[in-house]
Amino acid sequence: MDYLSDDSKSNDILKVIANVARRSLGTDVSFVGMFKDGNRLIKAVSKNLSSDSAISENDSAESNNTYCYNITNGSLPNFIEDTNSNEITKNLSVTKDLNIGSYIGLPITSSTGHVYGTLCCFNNRPLSISKNYDHKVLESLAHTAGLLLDLSKETQNTISSNRIRIESALINNAINILFQPIYDVEKDKVVGYECLSRFDNPSEIPTYEWFKQARECKLDTELELAAFLKAISFLNLFPSDQYLSINLSPNSIYNKQSMAIITGFDLSRIVIEITEHERVKSYDAFKLALLDLRKKGAKIAIDDAGAGYASLKHILEIDADKIKLDISLIRDIDSDKKRRALARALIAFANEIGTEVLAEGVETKDEMMTLVGMGVSYVQGYYIGRPVKFESIFK
């Protein structure tokens, strides 16, 4: 009987449940009481305006001195119409402290019978309570709360498991870098490589899931920095006329600790691709953060252009050096006039502001020839070359 959810979304839903309980039962107060470390913590309080109870969220008390605990262990009934007529409740300090005159409460349990806490309603004075109706309403709401907390606990366990796996990858430097060529059509040569992270991965978790889970675990900047450092360690192994393109999210670019490390390198042969995992809240602040990268010689590219709202905002707000057309826009562009129309618009925009356009995800000759005919000079994709380990590039 010792679990407390700290998930903010779950707590918001518990507040809704408490409010529905109070309004349905017509009581002065309702709340959810949760057990943790031998204490009862009050959560999700709902009070009507006339109640003079001093109850408030996050109030804590020793469990055995509360109604919640005594109801769940069977010492008290679920319904107490007059707290002064019960030998236990009239001697509990909480009766006077919270001005409890009549009380109804049911345990909140998991699907396996674990007790999370209680869903409780009380009035500030003794009142007759209709046991049949109240019991059904409160039982249904308590059951819903139990299901919610089961889901919250499962989510927290998953995040904990993911955190352990990601931290292990960071500690063991278990990030591998593959390199996909970027081809200059006019010069007929490879001018750079995008660095793509892969992980020692017995569970075959996709790379994008690693970074998504890292964001959920608040480890995204650490994982991105580790990937950046691994990628840039290869830079001097490439010819001096080739560059490396490395992904960074706005979160990492805002992070002062990460930027202090990244800007310690000469970035004149580095392109930073801005991913769109998080929307930029302030482009003025973001552009200031990008200045440190530009001062070290880095070029800025907008990744996934045409794939979503965020990338289009990036194009409008950031003075990017390169715009990368997303694979979803490139697929079958040779036979899809809608994709061609949108691509032409982005290419025209880029030409107007003097920005290079790179098409990623090019998989067929027809796709490439269509793009070249539209004025695209740089392409990347399986038609040009698949991502490979460094050792395979210069064989």
Side-chain angles (χ1 to χ4, degrees):
M1 194 162 60
D2 187 29
Y3 177 75
L4 174 65
S5 171
D6 293 319
D7 177 58
S8 59
K9 291 183 179 179
S10 295
N11 289 337
D12 288 342
I13 299 175
L14 288 177
K15 288 180 182 180
V16 173
I17 289 174
N19 193 49
V20 171
R22 181 183 65 80
R23 291 178 178 275
S24 297
L25 275 62
T27 54
D28 295 323
V29 179
S30 66
F31 69 93
V32 173
M34 303 293 293
F35 297 122
K36 183 175 177 63
D37 299 331
N39 292 321
R40 186 272 289 123
L41 186 70
I42 290 177
K43 306 289 287 185
V45 174
S46 175
K47 291 197 297 184
N48 65 29
L49 296 177
S50 62
S51 174
D52 58 0
S53 175
I55 190 171
S56 61
E57 290 184 12
N58 298 318
D59 284 348
S60 182
E62 290 185 8
S63 293
N64 57 3
N65 292 325
T66 66
Y67 284 61
C68 299
Y69 178 81
N70 282 282
I71 284 176
T72 56
N73 72 8
S75 299
L76 286 176
N78 297 117
F79 310 95
I80 304 168
E81 296 188 354
D82 185 349
T83 57
N84 286 320
S85 66
N86 183 286
E87 289 300 317
I88 295 177
T89 58
K90 73 178 183 180
N91 292 314
L92 287 175
S93 60
V94 69
T95 301
K96 182 177 180 181
D97 293 341
L98 300 184
N99 190 20
I100 302 175
S102 54
Y103 188 95
I104 177 173
L106 288 176
I108 298 173
T109 60
S110 73
S111 58
T112 60
H114 175 80
V115 180
Y116 290 125
T118 55
L119 175 60
C120 309
C121 298
F122 67 84
N123 290 306
N124 298 138
R125 61 190 184 281
L127 285 175
S128 176
I129 298 177
S130 173
K131 295 183 180 180
N132 291 334
Y133 177 71
D134 289 348
H135 185 275
K136 290 179 180 178
V137 171
L138 207 62
E139 188 177 63
S140 177
L141 291 171
H143 178 68
T144 300
L147 293 176
L148 170 70
L149 292 172
D150 277 348
L151 180 61
S152 175
K153 187 173 183 179
E154 181 180 343
T155 300
Q156 290 178 8
N157 288 340
T158 298
I159 290 175
S160 178
S161 175
N162 291 341
R163 171 178 282 276
I164 291 171
R165 175 169 44 79
I166 293 166
E167 287 178 339
S168 176
L170 290 169
I171 291 170
N172 295 308
N173 194 25
I175 303 174
N176 304 306
I177 303 297
L178 300 184
F179 301 88
Q180 186 168 34
I182 297 169
Y183 180 68
D184 184 327
V185 177
E186 294 179 0
K187 295 181 180 179
D188 190 25
K189 62 180 290 189
V190 172
V191 293
Y193 291 84
E194 181 177 0
C195 301
L196 302 169
S197 299
R198 298 293 186 266
F199 297 88
D200 296 338
N201 199 358
S203 300
E204 298 184 354
I205 300 170
T207 297
Y208 71 86
E209 277 293 329
W210 277 80
F211 286 97
K212 176 178 178 289
Q213 292 166 6
R215 290 195 301 278
E216 294 170 349
C217 299
K218 311 298 183 186
L219 290 173
D220 50 331
T221 55
E222 289 88 344
L223 191 61
E224 286 190 21
L225 177 60
F228 178 92
L229 294 175
K230 191 68 170 286
I232 203 170
S233 70
F234 289 90
L235 179 62
N236 291 331
L237 302 178
F238 286 87
S240 59
D241 62 346
Q242 292 182 339
Y243 67 85
L244 295 183
S245 193
I246 305 174
N247 291 284
L248 284 178
S249 69
N251 278 354
S252 289
I253 292 170
Y254 278 127
N255 188 281
K256 292 182 179 180
Q257 290 79 10
S258 292
M259 284 299 100
I261 296 171
I262 290 170
T263 55
F265 293 91
D266 176 3
L267 303 178
S268 58
R269 291 168 55 209
I270 297 296
V271 172
I272 300 297
E273 296 191 19
I274 308 300
T275 58
E276 63 164 316
H277 300 311
E278 303 290 339
R279 290 187 178 181
V280 174
K281 295 178 181 178
S282 168
Y283 277 98
D284 288 338
F286 188 56
K287 285 187 281 190
L288 283 175
L290 289 175
L291 278 179
D292 290 335
L293 293 168
R294 294 185 189 274
K295 287 176 182 177
K296 298 296 292 188
K299 298 292 192 295
I300 304 299
I302 305 300
D303 195 19
D304 303 329
Y309 171 83
S311 63
L312 294 177
K313 283 287 289 183
H314 292 349
I315 291 172
L316 289 173
E317 300 290 347
I318 299 171
D319 298 323
D321 302 285
K322 301 174 186 290
I323 294 175
K324 297 189 70 174
L325 303 182
D326 184 67
I327 186 173
S328 63
L329 185 59
I330 303 306
R331 181 67 59 249
D332 298 324
I333 195 169
D334 54 299
S335 59
D336 190 323
K337 63 180 181 180
K338 292 180 180 178
R339 284 180 166 82
R340 288 197 300 275
L342 179 53
R344 282 197 183 96
L346 291 171
I347 293 166
F349 176 86
N351 290 337
E352 181 72 19
I353 63 175
T355 300
E356 293 180 355
V357 176
L358 188 157
E360 59 182 346
V362 178
E363 296 190 355
T364 69
K365 181 179 179 180
D366 288 341
E367 288 173 352
M368 190 179 87
M369 297 309 297
T370 298
L371 290 162
V372 171
M374 295 167 64
V376 173
S377 299
Y378 302 93
V379 293
Q380 173 186 345
Y382 284 3
Y383 181 71
I384 303 302
R386 291 176 176 269
V388 295
K389 294 181 179 179
F390 174 79
E391 294 79 12
S392 300
I393 295 176
F394 301 109
K395 282 185 177 180

